[in-house]
Amino acid sequence: MSVTEQTAVEVSPELLDAISQLPVSREMQHCGQSFTVSPFDLYATCPNCRSRVKLRSFAAVPELEDVFDAVFAWMNQPGAAEVAEKRRQEIAADEE
Protein backbone atom coordinates (compact mmCIF):
# COMPACT_ATOMS: atom_id res chain seq x y z
CA MET A 1 0.00 0.00 0.00
CA SER A 2 1.30 3.45 -0.90
CA VAL A 3 0.63 6.53 1.19
CA THR A 4 0.80 9.88 -0.53
CA GLU A 5 3.11 12.27 1.29
CA GLN A 6 1.39 15.34 2.67
CA THR A 7 2.79 18.85 2.93
CA ALA A 8 4.03 19.48 6.46
CA VAL A 9 2.25 22.40 8.11
CA GLU A 10 2.83 23.30 11.72
CA VAL A 11 -0.40 23.14 13.70
CA SER A 12 -0.01 24.41 17.24
CA PRO A 13 -1.72 22.89 20.26
CA GLU A 14 -3.16 26.36 20.91
CA LEU A 15 -4.89 26.33 17.52
CA LEU A 16 -6.37 22.90 18.19
CA ASP A 17 -7.59 24.06 21.62
CA ALA A 18 -9.13 27.21 20.13
CA ILE A 19 -10.95 25.16 17.48
CA SER A 20 -12.28 22.67 20.01
CA GLN A 21 -13.49 25.47 22.29
CA LEU A 22 -15.17 27.63 19.64
CA PRO A 23 -18.80 28.06 20.72
CA VAL A 24 -21.59 27.23 18.27
CA SER A 25 -23.11 30.68 18.74
CA ARG A 26 -22.01 34.06 19.95
CA GLU A 27 -23.84 36.87 21.67
CA MET A 28 -23.96 40.26 19.92
CA GLN A 29 -25.19 43.63 21.09
CA HIS A 30 -26.47 46.44 18.92
CA CYS A 31 -28.90 49.25 19.79
CA GLY A 32 -28.77 48.03 23.39
CA GLN A 33 -30.31 44.70 22.40
CA SER A 34 -28.59 41.30 22.63
CA PHE A 35 -29.02 38.65 19.97
CA THR A 36 -27.33 35.40 18.97
CA VAL A 37 -25.41 34.79 15.75
CA SER A 38 -23.32 32.01 14.23
CA PRO A 39 -19.59 32.34 14.88
CA PHE A 40 -19.14 32.04 11.09
CA ASP A 41 -21.49 34.86 10.06
CA LEU A 42 -19.76 37.76 8.33
CA TYR A 43 -22.74 40.06 8.88
CA ALA A 44 -25.88 40.09 10.99
CA THR A 45 -29.03 42.15 10.89
CA CYS A 46 -29.89 43.91 14.14
CA PRO A 47 -33.38 42.75 15.16
CA ASN A 48 -34.09 46.19 16.63
CA CYS A 49 -33.03 48.69 13.95
CA ARG A 50 -32.56 46.27 11.01
CA SER A 51 -29.04 47.63 10.39
CA ARG A 52 -26.51 45.28 8.81
CA VAL A 53 -23.65 44.85 11.27
CA LYS A 54 -20.19 43.60 10.29
CA LEU A 55 -19.12 40.77 12.62
CA ARG A 56 -15.76 39.61 11.33
CA SER A 57 -12.77 41.67 10.29
CA PHE A 58 -11.30 41.49 6.84
CA ALA A 59 -7.78 42.28 8.02
CA ALA A 60 -4.63 40.80 6.56
CA VAL A 61 -4.27 38.71 9.72
CA PRO A 62 -6.10 35.37 9.50
CA GLU A 63 -8.67 34.66 12.20
CA LEU A 64 -9.78 31.36 13.70
CA GLU A 65 -12.96 31.51 11.64
CA ASP A 66 -10.80 31.60 8.50
CA VAL A 67 -9.54 28.10 9.37
CA PHE A 68 -13.14 26.89 9.39
CA ASP A 69 -13.82 28.70 6.10
CA ALA A 70 -10.91 26.79 4.53
CA VAL A 71 -12.34 23.50 5.82
CA PHE A 72 -15.83 24.42 4.61
CA ALA A 73 -14.37 25.24 1.16
CA TRP A 74 -12.56 21.87 1.18
CA MET A 75 -15.88 20.19 1.98
CA ASN A 76 -17.34 21.58 -1.26
CA GLN A 77 -15.26 19.03 -3.18
CA PRO A 78 -17.15 15.97 -4.42
CA GLY A 79 -16.91 13.22 -1.79
CA ALA A 80 -15.45 15.43 0.94
CA ALA A 81 -18.67 15.69 2.96
CA GLU A 82 -18.93 11.91 3.09
CA VAL A 83 -15.37 11.36 4.37
CA ALA A 84 -15.81 14.21 6.88
CA GLU A 85 -19.06 12.68 8.15
CA LYS A 86 -17.40 9.27 8.49
CA ARG A 87 -14.63 10.79 10.60
CA ARG A 88 -17.14 12.79 12.65
CA GLN A 89 -18.97 9.58 13.47
CA GLU A 90 -15.69 7.85 14.44
CA ILE A 91 -14.85 10.71 16.80
CA ALA A 92 -18.34 10.62 18.33
CA ALA A 93 -18.04 6.86 18.87
CA ASP A 94 -14.64 7.30 20.57
CA GLU A 95 -16.17 9.84 22.99
CA GLU A 96 -18.84 7.37 24.15
Side-chain angles (χ1 to χ4, degrees):
M1 176 171 91
S2 174
V3 176
T4 305
E5 191 173 319
Q6 297 178 352
T7 304
V9 176
E10 186 175 332
V11 177
S12 71
E14 293 83 8
L15 174 60
L16 297 176
D17 287 343
I19 289 170
S20 68
Q21 295 173 22
L22 185 72
V24 296
S25 65
R26 68 186 226 201
E27 196 75 16
M28 293 299 305
Q29 286 199 341
H30 193 265
C31 296
Q33 183 172 352
S34 294
F35 55 100
T36 303
V37 297
S38 163
F40 306 120
D41 286 347
L42 298 175
Y43 296 93
T45 301
C46 174
N48 188 41
C49 71
R50 308 305 298 166
S51 292
R52 190 171 188 216
V53 181
K54 183 178 170 188
L55 303 175
R56 288 173 51 188
S57 77
F58 297 106
V61 178
E63 299 175 313
L64 180 61
E65 293 83 359
D66 296 326
V67 174
F68 283 90
D69 285 348
V71 173
F72 296 150
W74 174 85
M75 290 181 68
N76 285 331
Q77 297 179 81
E82 291 80 11
V83 297
E85 178 60 19
K86 179 180 180 285
R87 181 63 185 142
R88 192 198 65 73
Q89 289 175 0
E90 292 168 350
I91 291 169
D94 287 346
E95 291 175 351
E96 293 175 353

